[in-house]
Amino acid sequence: MRAWLRDTAGGLSATYWYLWTGLLINKVGGFAILFLSLYLTSQRGAGTAQAGLIVGTYGIGGLLGSLTGGVLTDRWGRRRTLLTSHFTTVAALLALAFSSDLVMIAVWCALLGVAQSMASPAFVAAIIDVTPAEKRSRAFNLQFWALNLGLAGASLLAGLLAQWSYVGLFLIDGACTLVTGILIAWKVPETLRTPSSPSRPRAGGLGTVLTDRIFLVFVGLTLLQALIYAQSNTIVPLAMHADGLSPAAYGSVVALGGALIVLGQLFVPRLIDGHRKHRVLALALLVDGVGFGVLAFADHLAWYLLAAAIWTVGSMLAAPPNAEINSELAPLALRGRYQAVFFLTFPAASFLAPSVGGAGLQYLGDAHWVVVGVLGALAAGLHLLAGRPRERRVAAIRDETSAVAEVS
């Protein structure tokens, strides 16, 4: 058991583990946004439409925060961006806890979206900085596991705390964020390297990222993957309701997926080590497609549980190589900006999946899931085609990074 744990940890640095701990604390305590719509309707007198609009400001803030965080991560540094993000988040949560005016709540909600999203590019860029290339697969696998473990903990705690006090949700969330901020201030040094060579090429900006075709193809495939997987929390509950299944049945589907990730994610590196990342991603997308394709035949809970088990395996296989490729395609001086553009795929999928998926389910019925399955197979094929050019780009970036490290 000790040998397995040692292999899983992979000799990762102390700084990585402080960042990992901060991510876990944030996720375990990050339950305020989960119950924001209920808080608005039950405690602040908002109508359903008003609550939806206010919660939507959080998503808009998230888009802005991700881009802002990416730029600041490269200019200010990882540590300073993380500290600004966490302490601003604390202020926004405190303001939300004690605000009653719906307009001000919308303002604070948007600020919360900006502040929380700023941290994502900085967290990932810092992990890349302190983790050698050969250990990043394990590092990102552990990160994905921590995020899901924290989400599972938050889901359990939030339901209990909401019965006690909605205001308490915001205060405890803020306290957890404050603890993470203090941990970063105390234990996490600045990881951004600033090469001093006068001959270092100009880094560029967001324009460089947005004209990088190989990276944008990867981002597009990640968006397709996110759109497929987002069916699980947007369209699947609608399909289950149409089949006469209760919300509790959907809860069991969600619980199964979370349990599989918490119990099985740590074993994934041993399964995929030694295999080309684009082939692992192709297999993962194909498995995802099969999982959702099964729903074309689903009319009982057992079918939905089987489908959830399949698509969860796909997401578990995809997580490490997806994050690793993302880290490898980012040049040293633009890691924050690359992470920012990459992270835009997830709020975009959160918007597109219910919009497009809802129409698909309404007009295509069960054939909607056949389409989703075909998209998974298509994405798998595209990953295989894109794999070789990505590998050549990664090799070039690796050589450039090594050269910069030698002169700095």
Side-chain angles (χ1 to χ4, degrees), residues 84-320:
T84 301
S85 167
H86 283 79
F87 294 134
T88 304
T89 295
V90 172
L93 286 167
L94 288 174
L96 277 170
F98 298 109
S99 295
S100 56
D101 180 74
L102 292 179
V103 173
M104 289 308 301
I105 289 175
V107 171
W108 294 122
C109 192
L111 178 62
L112 180 65
V114 171
Q116 288 188 329
S117 297
M118 280 175 58
S120 295
F123 260 124
V124 176
I127 288 172
I128 299 170
D129 293 341
V130 302
T131 308
E134 67 275 9
K135 296 179 181 179
R136 286 178 189 158
S137 178
R138 283 178 169 76
F140 288 121
N141 189 67
L142 285 164
Q143 177 200 11
F144 183 69
W145 181 72
L147 291 174
N148 282 276
L149 180 62
L151 182 60
S155 299
L156 292 173
L157 291 172
L160 297 174
L161 291 171
Q163 297 178 22
W164 163 61
S165 169
Y166 280 102
V167 172
L169 289 176
F170 293 103
L171 296 179
I172 296 175
D173 193 340
C176 290
T177 305
L178 180 62
V179 168
T180 301
I182 293 171
L183 176 65
I184 292 168
W186 180 31
K187 289 292 187 180
V188 176
E190 178 54 61
T191 64
L192 174 63
R193 289 179 288 173
T194 53
S196 57
S197 172
S199 61
R200 181 170 60 97
R202 186 166 175 253
L206 276 174
T208 302
V209 185
L210 297 176
T211 55
D212 185 339
R213 286 180 292 179
I214 290 178
F215 178 71
L216 291 180
V217 167
F218 174 67
V219 169
L221 289 174
T222 303
L223 175 60
L224 188 53
Q225 176 189 336
L227 282 170
I228 293 170
Y229 189 73
Q231 304 294 307
S232 64
N233 56 29
T234 55
I235 309 305
V236 168
L238 297 178
M240 294 183 72
H241 177 73
D243 285 332
L245 296 170
S246 68
Y250 175 65
S252 65
V253 169
V254 174
L256 175 64
L260 287 174
I261 291 173
V262 170
L263 295 175
Q265 190 67 46
L266 295 180
F267 297 95
V268 168
R270 286 196 173 188
L271 294 175
I272 65 176
D273 279 354
H275 297 282
R276 292 183 181 273
K277 289 185 278 291
H278 64 277
R279 292 178 181 172
V280 176
L281 276 176
L283 175 62
L285 266 296
L286 189 61
V287 172
D288 268 345
V290 170
F292 286 102
V294 166
L295 296 183
F297 310 99
D299 54 3
H300 296 291
L301 178 59
W303 280 101
Y304 284 98
L305 291 172
L306 172 63
I310 296 172
W311 76 56
T312 300
V313 169
S315 71
M316 290 166 64
L317 291 172

Side-chain angles (χ1 to χ4, degrees), residues 354-403:
S355 305
V356 178
L361 187 65
Q362 179 177 343
Y363 294 110
L364 299 178
D366 288 339
H368 167 76
W369 301 114
V370 176
V371 173
V372 175
V374 170
L375 285 177
L378 174 64
L382 292 174
H383 267 298
L384 292 175
L385 291 174
R388 293 292 185 180
R390 278 203 305 251
E391 289 180 344
R392 290 193 291 269
R393 170 64 64 80
V394 167
I397 292 172
R398 188 180 296 125
D399 292 342
E400 177 186 330
T401 302
S402 299

